[in-house]
Amino acid sequence: MNEQQRKEMSQIKQRDAADRKSGQDKPLQEKTSSDFAKYFETTYEPPNLNKARKRGRDKVNVHYDFGIPEDIENIGVGKKFLIRTYGCQMNEHDTEVMAGILTELGYESTNNTEDADIILLNTCAIRENAENKVFGEIGHLKPLKLEKPDLILGVCGCMSQEESVVNRILKKHPQVDLIFGTHNIHRLPQLIKESFFGKAKVVEVWSKEGDIIENLPKVRKGKIKAWVNIMYGCDKFCTYCIVPMTRGKERSRRPEDIIQEVRHLAAQGYQEITLLGQNVNAYGKDFEDIAYGFGELMDDIHKVDIPRVRFTTSHPRDFDDHLIEVLAQGGNLLDHIHLPVQSGSSDVLKLMNRKYTREQYLELVAKIRKAIPNATLTTDIIVGFPNETDEQFEETMTLMAEVGFEAAYTYIYSPRDGTPAAKKTDNVPMDVKKQRLYRLNDLVNKQSKESMKRLENKVVKVLVEGESKKDPDVLAGYTEKNKLVNFKGPESSIGRIVEVHVTEAKTWSLNGIMVENTVEVN
Ligand code: 5AD
Ligand code: SF4
């Protein structure tokens, strides 16, 4: 036993003694929800969506001083972690940050729950079914926790920002040891320490955070494509959406920090970056000292030597002419724009608080197409918003066709506690909503297939990501317009951009053969 382990052992003994005194050492099976409730009455402040909704005028402070406290530097040595990620790219990227922090603590990653000493569920709150999946997983992990009481089981991400979720976990799922929110990720070392040495559950969810923490470590998922956060939070308050409460107010990273990160990724050989924000078009609106927005940022990133730059997600309202002008330069700025419309009816858009009409959306599309004739547009659509009429839904169908979206993420509206839309009584039966989704998806599939068909017998540039999931003899990658291509080619092309001749179009992917003798096509 080395010095560190001896220290840990003695701390565990002290903790056990304290537990026995406080009655917290009951085996998990015997703990009742009132054991936890008693404990939390004195130590825990629940998250509060109302507080989270409020926007202050406080200055955004940027911190560059993240560090691992000396006494826990090696807390994870010889141990393993597993993080399950649900939801959007923002969560995927947060997982990379948490993996970075855990790696700095000495943990190694594993894909096997049974080998893990710490399991974190990085959750999504956007729709009810996303939450149900997480509660299902919490249930699945209970036997493992009973078998391995030292396992730290944590829940983080957007769901932990909701008071109802935290209460449900505390009352019904005693196997969860640690709950922390989206604003508390940088506190992970301290939280693990508390969970490790403390006597009960650790809950830390800040309802509000106005700051940016810059120098967090990251372990990125691959070496070809990377996420880059450009801003956090959302101030749009669409009436159906919980994100402005779970992710806090809009705050932008400083341009120099973003550009440095992008340059660094380019130097490491990354071929593609995706700039991330809940509403990237609002980038820079919170700067008080400089007039620098998303257009300026894209213009600067355009000059960095990295082959492909994407961004997500855009809000039509803030998509300005300068940005269109910058994107029209092309180069590494790809001509695929994901532009969530949500509904084709101006009346529904009003109720959604989207702040644009169908006509204004179409004007924006026309402007984009004029400046970037080959632009591919994709979108997000919600059907069955409270009281959506048949006619209003038909307007969504006609808009889908009129714009010619090549793909769309489609959802049935899901009421979220704490949002204005959830308070509305809804006269649309679920089977009608399902029928609408079915019809919309039919149209989406048709339009996707047509866009794929147009590429048959053409040559496309593909960033090769690796072997296809279905067939290890086939390689897979994405075109500039983000279309999946499966093709035969040498393994040496993985991580490079190559030309592929498309031989067959399917609904959601293309098949092809790599063009002989293509070297890099940057
Ligand atoms: N119900 C259904 N879909 C939703 N989205 C956001 N909130 C809800 C909700 N309450 C969809 C929107 C958004 C995408 C990320 O999720 O279409 O653009
Ligand atoms: Fe939600 Fe609207 Fe913000 Fe998107 S822009 S995250 S839909 S509130």
Side-chain angles (χ1 to χ4, degrees), residues 195-464:
S195 188
F196 201 72
F197 298 122
K199 51 185 184 316
K201 286 188 205 225
V202 176
V203 183
E204 188 181 279
V205 184
W206 295 341
S207 294
K208 287 176 92 164
E209 169 60 284
D211 285 357
I212 289 179
I213 320 286
E214 260 312 324
N215 62 332
L216 295 171
K218 294 172 192 115
V219 172
R220 297 188 190 267
K221 211 166 155 198
K223 304 236 167 292
I224 303 169
K225 304 204 291 193
W227 310 113
V228 176
N229 267 131
I230 64 165
M231 62 184 302
Y232 304 93
C234 180
D235 285 351
K236 279 283 176 276
F237 290 98
C238 302
T239 54
Y240 51 80
C241 186
I242 193 141
V243 169
M245 279 75 89
T246 60
R247 290 280 173 174
K249 71 173 182 183
E250 277 173 4
R251 46 213 195 277
S252 307
R253 286 179 72 197
R254 301 296 300 184
E256 56 277 16
D257 292 329
I258 298 170
I259 291 162
Q260 192 191 38
E261 183 174 344
V262 175
R263 284 214 182 100
H264 189 60
L265 290 165
Q268 288 175 284
Y270 280 89
Q271 299 292 302
E272 179 177 309
I273 54 159
T274 302
L275 305 176
L276 284 184
Q278 249 79 37
N279 168 17
V280 289
N281 307 82
Y283 174 79
K285 288 193 165 181
D286 54 318
F287 292 148
E288 284 173 1
D289 55 337
I290 44 171
Y292 188 98
F294 190 51
E296 283 76 14
L297 180 69
M298 288 303 269
D299 204 18
D300 280 338
I301 291 180
H302 174 238
K303 294 169 199 143
V304 179
D305 187 14
I306 191 148
R308 289 182 168 192
V309 179
R310 301 184 191 277
F311 55 95
T312 196
T313 271
S314 281
H315 192 296
R317 165 87 190 195
D318 296 321
F319 209 110
D320 58 34
D321 293 353
H322 179 228
L323 176 63
I324 297 176
E325 217 176 278
V326 170
L327 295 179
Q329 299 174 87
N332 60 0
L333 309 181
L334 302 184
D335 54 3
H336 166 215
I337 298 170
H338 186 68
L339 195 61
V341 66
Q342 312 298 358
S343 167
S345 151
S346 295
D347 291 338
V348 174
L349 289 169
K350 190 152 200 242
L351 293 172
M352 288 176 163
N353 192 31
R354 292 290 290 181
K355 299 198 172 83
Y356 55 84
T357 60
R358 174 192 177 100
E359 291 68 34
Q360 284 166 331
Y361 186 90
L362 286 170
E363 268 168 40
L364 174 61
V365 168
K367 262 199 248 172
I368 293 173
R369 291 222 188 277
K370 187 157 178 240
I372 316 166
N374 275 329
T376 285
L377 292 173
T378 57
T379 200
D380 292 351
I381 293 175
I382 297 175
V383 302
F385 188 75
N387 309 313
E388 181 191 58
T389 63
D390 283 340
E391 293 72 30
Q392 287 167 338
F393 170 68
E394 292 308 326
E395 289 188 79
T396 296
M397 292 290 280
T398 57
L399 185 87
M400 178 76 210
E402 198 170 335
V403 175
F405 291 117
E406 295 186 16
Y409 295 100
T410 57
Y411 311 100
I412 291 183
Y413 165 74
S414 168
R416 305 284 63 217
D417 261 357
T419 62
K423 297 192 187 91
K424 294 256 181 301
T425 46
D426 185 0
N427 64 13
V428 188
M430 189 43 95
D431 58 330
V432 172
K433 295 185 191 222
K434 283 189 179 156
Q435 188 58 30
R436 286 180 190 164
L437 183 71
Y438 187 82
R439 275 190 58 210
L440 179 61
N441 283 345
D442 245 12
L443 183 60
V444 173
N445 288 351
K446 180 174 155 269
Q447 292 188 193
S448 174
K449 194 168 185 174
E450 283 167 3
S451 75
M452 295 292 185
K453 204 82 192 149
R454 288 195 288 274
L455 294 170
E456 256 180 7
N457 292 318
K458 300 248 159 67
V459 171
V460 289
K461 290 178 185 173
V462 177
L463 172 54
V464 191

